[in-house]
Amino acid sequence: MPKPLDPKCQLCSKLPTIQAKVLHGTAGDGCWNPKVCHNRRSFYRHRSQNNSAEIDAIAVEPPATYFAVLYLYKEPGDKPLHALGAELWLGQQPICRLEPIHCFGLTAGKIRTYTDQVLQAFAKQYSVSLYQYFGQFLVEGIDKKAIEPLRC
């Protein structure tokens, strides 16, 4: 494991050499060592440039596939489901959002039927095959006013 960075040396590296020698030399706290301090100060000054030069970055376009995501809005604890919404994505972009609906009074069976109808509507509208939701996200601690109507 590498040795941790010395905060004192980091601050010293930002000072001019003459001022650093005065502060940390024999007249100062005595930590100045001419055999190591010049190299160490250079290391700390150029550290961020050296670290960023080590890693190359490339961009590869992800494949564009359709998938649906279901959002379940619920308050924390053993509270019932408050609302649900859905989105259809193509690659990295959402292309259609379903307006969230309130689930008060709906049984689990009716909610399941409705979510299946949403998948069928997405599939019909965009002529794609969707058999299930790619993911379900639980949104807890929601503000009831934050659920805004969203349309395609």
Side-chain angles (χ1 to χ4, degrees), residues 95-114:
I95 59 170
C96 185
R97 290 187 179 123
L98 175 75
E99 178 179 329
I101 64 157
H102 291 278
C103 295
F104 298 125
L106 296 179
T107 63
K110 288 181 181 178
I111 291 172
R112 176 66 187 181
T113 302
Y114 179 73

